Amino acid sequence: MPALCSLNAAERIAIEDLYSRYAWALDTGDVEGFADTFVPESVVVVCTYTRKPNTYEGRQGAIDLAESLRVWDRFPGCQHYTGQLQLVNDSPECCQARSYTFMTDCRGDAPYQIRFVGRTQDRLVKRAGMWLYEERLIQLWEGDVSQGFPVPGF
């Protein structure tokens, strides 16, 4: 992914707000708010602990993903963080994004534990003045990210 992006600061802030709305909705059990961060024809692929991709399509898929986590007894108390966001815009209303992501388990006494470390690759689109996810890939920090090293570390 090239490092150049011609989006202005206001657009970048609006995109960061999308990532915040996603995390706050997911981590507070707001299933509808979570689904509202996606376009109706979205595709989400989650490839984490089992390394088997799970695909969720459309608004109902986003609802199914959020609901499956909301009712999972180990999920309440989790917090998702995304950072070091890189953007490459295809047009003023479409861009590719990648980021680091991790999840902490905030149940019990501090210090809290990190439960997931990974990355995202996203396609974002602007609809009715708001940035939304069109495609989202969530995966562990492994595999092709180690290709730049002479000896892969993982």
Side-chain angles (χ1 to χ4, degrees):
M1 171 183 272
L4 300 176
C5 179
S6 63
L7 294 172
N8 64 36
E11 295 295 341
R12 291 185 66 91
I13 290 169
I15 289 170
E16 289 188 19
D17 186 56
L18 166 64
Y19 283 80
S20 295
R21 288 186 291 118
Y22 171 98
W24 274 94
L26 185 61
D27 294 342
T28 60
D30 180 0
V31 173
E32 291 295 323
F34 178 81
D36 288 344
T37 65
F38 295 91
V39 296
E41 67 277 10
S42 64
V43 176
V44 181
V45 178
V46 180
C47 188
T48 56
Y49 302 112
T50 65
R51 292 167 178 82
K52 176 186 171 204
N54 293 305
T55 302
Y56 303 87
E57 296 183 13
R59 181 174 180 83
Q60 188 58 52
I63 289 170
D64 292 346
L65 172 57
E67 184 63 20
S68 71
L69 294 171
R70 190 185 71 78
V71 299
W72 181 33
D73 64 343
R74 295 189 61 205
F75 195 79
C78 291
Q79 288 183 343
H80 290 76
Y81 298 88
T82 300
Q84 297 180 319
L85 188 62
Q86 287 188 325
L87 302 171
V88 176
N89 59 308
D90 302 328
S91 72
E93 297 191 348
C94 180
C95 73
Q96 307 295 320
R98 69 179 180 181
S99 66
Y100 294 132
T101 187
F102 69 94
M103 179 188 73
T104 59
D105 182 344
C106 298
R107 292 176 295 173
D109 296 328
Y112 301 125
Q113 296 183 354
I114 295 175
R115 294 288 185 191
F116 173 80
V117 176
R119 58 192 165 130
T120 66
Q121 291 179 275
D122 305 310
R123 181 173 174 80
L124 312 174
V125 293
K126 192 173 184 182
R127 301 265 174 94
M130 183 172 279
W131 285 96
L132 301 167
Y133 294 104
E134 184 175 65
E135 297 174 4
R136 185 150 174 79
L137 171 62
I138 304 162
Q139 55 192 332
L140 292 170
W141 184 259
E142 62 183 18
D144 64 339
V145 292
S146 68
Q147 289 178 350
F149 298 98
V151 179
F154 44 95

